[in-house]
Structures are given as C-alpha cells and as structure tokens.
Amino acid sequence: MKITRLAAESFRRFERAAFEPHPHLTVLHGANASGKTSLLEAAYFASRATSFRARRLDEVVMEGQNAASVSVWIQKAQEEIATQWTTAIRAGEVSIRRLTESSNRRELAEALPVVLVDRQLHRVFEEGPVYRRRYLDWGLFYVEPSFFTLWRRHERALRQRNQALRQRAPRSEIEVWNPEFITTAEALNRLRKTHVQALEQAARRWVGELLQTEQFGFGLSAGWNETQGLATVLAEGLDGDRKMGFTHAGPHRAELRVRFEAREARAFVSRGQQKLLALAMALAQAQLVQEMTGRAPVVLLDDLEAELAVEWQQRLLAALLRYPGQSLVTSLEWRAALLPAGTSRNEYAVFHVEHGHVSPDVHSP
C-alpha cells in the first residue's frame, strides 16, 4: 500500500500543492517555516481526519479561506489503479469521501494506516500512560478484528458506570454495569497482552538496529490487581469510586512500561535516544500490521535532524530504507551523504518546500 499522489487546497499556507511521493522514501526539505511539517500534517489529516498540531481542526484552513481539503490516491498491493480519498473541513465539520461516496473515519483509517514520529514523541516516555495506551491500541485496531467493537462496548460501559457514580446513584444502578464492564475489560486485557508479546519481539529487532542494544522490553499492567480479579477490585473499591465519581480500576488505567538497558526508558534516556526508540516502536507496530494485513503503514517522520547526531541520522535513514513500506521525512539541511553507501537515486525522492510551494528537487545531490 502506498500514496501515489497527495494534493492539498487551502491547507495551512498551501493555496494549492501537490506532489507524488516515492513508493519507498520521500524527503521534504526546506528552511524553517517553509511548510514541510504542514505537508506531513496534510498526509496525517488525509488518513485520520484530524491534526497532530492543531488544537482546533479549523486551524488548518488557510487564512482568508472558509474550507480546506486534502486528497490522497492510495494504491494497494497487486492493484494497478489508485483510489482517491478526500478529507475536507468546512465550518468545523469534517467530511470524508472515497471517490464520490461518503465515508467515515474508521474506513479511512483502515484504508490508510499511518504512524507518526514528531516533536511531541517525548510524551510517550515522559508523560502519563494515556500516550502509551494509544500507541498499543493503535496496533490492535489493525491486527485484531474484534478490538474496535470490543473497545467501543467497554467505553460505553465505563461511561455509563461513571455517570451513575457522579450522580450518586444507588449501588444497584452502578453495579448493573459491572458484568459488561468486567467482560470487556478482561477481553481487552487478553488482547493487549498477546499484542505486547509480539510487539516486543519486533521492537527489539529495530532497537538493535537503531541503538545497537538488545536490552529492551515492554511491561504491561492491566489497570487492576489481577491476583484479586476485577470483580473483587470493583466491589472493594466501590465506596472510593462513589466518593471520587469515577471508576478507578480497569483497562482505561492500564500502563505500558518501556524498559531500556534494564531501566525505565522515561527515567533516563536522552531526547536523541527517545527519538530512535520511538521510531523503533513505530516500525515494530508497522511491521506487525504488514504481517497481519498485508498493508505496510506509511511512516511520517518530522524533523530528521532534531536531537540526532549525524551518525544517528544515518542509522535512522538506513532503517527506513529497510522498512518495506513508504516513509515521508522532513529535513532542514538535507544531504544525500546521510544515506547508506551505494543507495541508488531511484530508491528515494527529494522535494524542496518553500513559501507554500513544493517541487521536485532535481538538483539535490
């Protein structure tokens, strides 16, 4: 699976912009504030109908305009014709179309999986477990067909139970949600455990390539004391839940721990190591998705040089060239010498971004 063409209209600083990414590695380079990250944001918007930069989605609309859109042409393996998907925003409302037919976020995400490594990646290591749960559940969405429906059932049970807690409802009206809550929670925990085991093996390979160490691993806490069992934990914690107004135990409190060289990764790794670890984890997820579905997610990597010495930049690019899927990378000071020796010019493409325009960089070495 690959993006054969991306076209944006009235998106950020781009009145109209279009380019055809390389099926393997594409480099978008240019000065600061030239629009490189906005093009990655456009690819992300076209695949998830949201932004990784904007607090409000209408911020992506070009100043002076009332709507913006991004179209991507997606070509699946063994198919000769790419399918156009268009994601647009107008007056704060998002619309998604596959060719001429209306679609939705779930179908769009299934059609074009993307993984993002950007400047906010430190949150995965330094901030709360919500970011690590999102990382874990992103992979499950693609590799486990039952996950999405199961997750929605659990979210509904959690929401209803919390509402009853906040309203100080009688015990019976709170506990009526326990069977569904417990059933879905335990099923989600089983899926997460299985996924973490497979993910750890894949991530260890990429960590070895990028950071040259095999001392890496994951640890998963369910979000409750599994020795007691969730039913017992909920029963014993009901008074506390009623006092606080929310459910204190469950998969919504699960914690994915990242261990690097026998220590918690968030405790001591440098920002440069964080970036390589994040990419290794992203590539591990992408690898599993490809193995299970036959579709290799598109990797979006923002700001190649940030936090990375030249040697680490070289390792990162070598890893992306070995990845079987498509990658889009932004760079401030691109040099082809960063690529492994012997890399052919037909293995990647370079585009220059400047003042809201993107064009093939035929002069790039």
Side-chain angles (χ1 to χ4, degrees):
M1 186 211 68
K2 60 186 178 182
I3 300 173
T4 61
R5 178 178 171 82
L6 183 149
E9 292 189 15
S10 301
F11 191 92
R12 293 290 188 184
R13 64 174 56 214
F14 294 96
E15 182 177 2
R16 289 181 181 272
F19 70 103
E20 297 179 357
H22 191 276
H24 201 180
L25 174 64
T26 298
V27 178
L28 302 164
H29 82 101
N32 285 325
S34 61
K36 306 183 299 296
T37 300
S38 294
L39 289 177
L40 284 196
E41 183 184 19
Y44 190 89
F45 177 75
S47 65
R48 296 199 186 180
T50 189
S51 167
F52 60 84
R53 301 168 71 195
R55 293 184 179 180
R56 302 190 322 276
L57 199 49
D58 55 10
E59 292 176 17
V60 306
V61 180
M62 188 178 191
E63 186 176 355
Q65 302 297 317
N66 59 13
S69 67
V70 181
S71 294
V72 286
W73 284 257
I74 305 170
Q75 185 175 0
K76 296 181 180 179
Q78 313 304 322
E79 292 186 359
E80 295 183 2
I81 301 176
T83 300
Q84 180 181 357
W85 288 75
T86 300
T87 305
I89 179 167
R90 178 186 294 273
E93 296 294 325
V94 173
S95 63
I96 301 168
R97 302 189 73 83
R98 180 185 181 274
L99 298 175
T100 60
E101 298 179 356
S102 295
S103 189
N104 56 53
R105 280 182 165 90
R106 180 180 179 180
E107 292 175 341
L108 177 62
E110 290 174 343
L112 181 59
V114 300
V115 292
L116 172 70
V117 180
D118 71 342
R119 297 176 185 178
Q120 301 300 316
L121 62 90
H122 66 274
R123 291 182 174 182
V124 174
F125 303 102
E126 297 177 358
E127 297 191 17
V130 62
Y131 296 98
R132 293 181 287 281
R133 284 196 298 270
R134 287 175 184 170
Y135 162 77
L136 190 59
D137 290 347
W138 179 91
L140 277 168
F141 173 82
Y142 290 102
V143 304
E144 178 47 63
S146 66
F147 170 77
F148 185 71
T149 299
L150 187 63
W151 177 82
R152 290 187 68 178
R153 284 177 54 196
H154 181 76
E155 286 293 299
R156 179 175 181 271
L158 174 62
R159 185 167 57 251
Q160 295 292 343
R161 191 177 193 273
N162 283 347
Q163 182 176 347
L165 288 168
R166 287 193 298 270
Q167 292 174 348
R168 302 294 193 268
R171 177 183 292 265
S172 61
E173 293 183 18
I174 298 170
E175 292 181 336
V176 72
W177 293 103
N178 284 8
E180 174 74 351
F181 182 88
I182 292 169
T183 297
T184 55
E186 291 176 342
L188 283 172
N189 188 43
R190 288 192 294 271
L191 290 181
R192 282 173 170 171
K193 283 184 174 180
T194 300
H195 187 57
V196 165
Q197 290 176 354
L199 193 58
E200 184 176 60
Q201 295 302 313
R204 190 169 287 142
R205 169 202 164 190
W206 291 106
V207 169
E209 290 196 27
L210 291 168
L211 288 153
Q212 299 181 342
T213 179
E214 296 183 356
Q215 298 185 50
F216 172 85
F218 288 128
L220 179 65
S221 298
W224 69 90
N225 186 334
E226 292 186 83
T227 302
Q228 288 184 283
L230 185 53
T232 300
V233 170
L234 290 177
E236 294 182 352
L238 181 57
D239 289 341
D241 286 354
R242 297 181 74 178
K243 181 178 180 180
M244 299 300 295
F246 64 87
T247 304
H248 76 284
H252 59 291
R253 302 295 297 273
E255 168 70 289
L256 177 68
R257 293 184 174 85
V258 183
R259 300 188 304 273
F260 180 69
E261 296 186 342
R263 299 166 68 182
E264 290 282 341
R266 63 181 178 179
F268 78 103
V269 295
S270 69
R271 285 295 176 90
Q273 288 174 316
Q274 285 182 1
K275 189 168 188 174
L276 294 183
L277 274 176
L279 182 65
M281 291 166 59
L283 289 173
Q285 285 277 36
Q287 176 186 331
L288 290 184
V289 172
Q290 184 207 18
E291 291 174 354
M292 297 295 292
T293 69
R295 294 172 294 162
V298 177
V299 176
L300 306 177
L301 173 67
D302 192 27
D303 203 352
L304 170 66
E305 296 87 357
E307 314 291 349
L308 295 182
V310 170
E311 179 186 357
W312 285 3
Q313 294 175 43
Q314 292 171 327
R315 290 186 202 172
L316 186 154
L317 289 169
L320 291 179
L321 285 172
R322 282 191 289 273
Y323 173 61
Q326 190 176 37
S327 303
L328 276 65
V329 179
T330 66
S331 172
L332 180 63
E333 298 178 353
W334 169 249
R335 303 184 305 281
L338 293 170
L339 294 168
T343 301
S344 169
R345 190 62 172 84
N346 61 17
E347 294 181 62
Y348 67 99
V350 181
F351 292 86
H352 185 239
V353 186
E354 184 177 15
H355 302 310
H357 298 280
V358 55
S359 56
D361 193 342
V362 296
H363 302 295
S364 179

